[in-house]
Amino acid sequence: MYESKHHPLASKKVFRKRLLNSFLLANVLLFFSLMIGVLGYHFTNDLGWTDSLLNASMILTGMGPVDPMHNEAAKLFASFYAIFSGVAFLTTVGVLLAPIIHRIFHKFHIEEK
């Protein structure tokens, strides 16, 4: 996907394209993760769409739930969604930062020669 250590540093145009692709992929991952939460909270806890979005957003970013869970299904969903959200959020951050970190490491390697 990226150039190896034996290749020259990618041009700024290629780097900007990588940043854009990473940004788009990160947004797709966030949207997908958020929709899982919205649907789960809506159907397991009988929350409205806006309240479901609020709860899913808060869990996905690590802030915690807003509304109490009223039944066992909602509590189980919230537990699994919280675990999923931690992994999903960290993965999204990794996807977003990958081109920047790669460029920094590649630049350091070029300067080593």
Side-chain angles (χ1 to χ4, degrees):
M1 178 177 211
Y2 299 137
E3 68 276 0
S4 72
K5 63 182 181 179
H6 303 292
H7 293 100
L9 194 62
S11 68
K12 287 184 180 182
K13 182 179 179 181
V14 170
F15 178 64
R16 282 192 298 267
K17 184 178 178 187
R18 287 179 184 165
L19 280 177
L20 179 62
N21 288 340
S22 290
F23 178 76
L24 293 174
L25 180 57
N27 279 311
V28 167
L29 290 171
L30 279 177
F31 179 78
F32 176 73
S33 300
L34 193 59
M35 287 303 102
I36 290 172
V38 169
L39 293 171
Y41 282 116
H42 180 74
F43 291 114
T44 63
N45 204 36
D46 296 324
L47 294 175
W49 292 108
T50 306
D51 289 333
S52 296
L53 175 63
L54 176 62
N55 274 283
S57 299
M58 295 297 280
I59 288 288
L60 189 59
T61 58
M63 299 298 290
V66 176
D67 295 304
M69 301 299 111
H70 298 294
N71 57 54
E72 295 297 315
K75 291 174 184 178
L76 288 172
F77 171 76
S79 296
F80 290 115
Y81 184 65
I83 294 168
F84 166 80
S85 293
V87 174
F89 189 75
L90 291 174
T91 301
T92 302
V93 170
V95 166
L96 194 58
L97 294 179
I100 298 167
I101 293 169
H102 178 268
R103 188 166 182 93
I104 290 169
F105 285 163
H106 194 93
K107 201 170 199 175
F108 283 145
H109 184 75
I110 289 173
E111 291 174 2
E112 233 177 52
K113 292 179 182 180

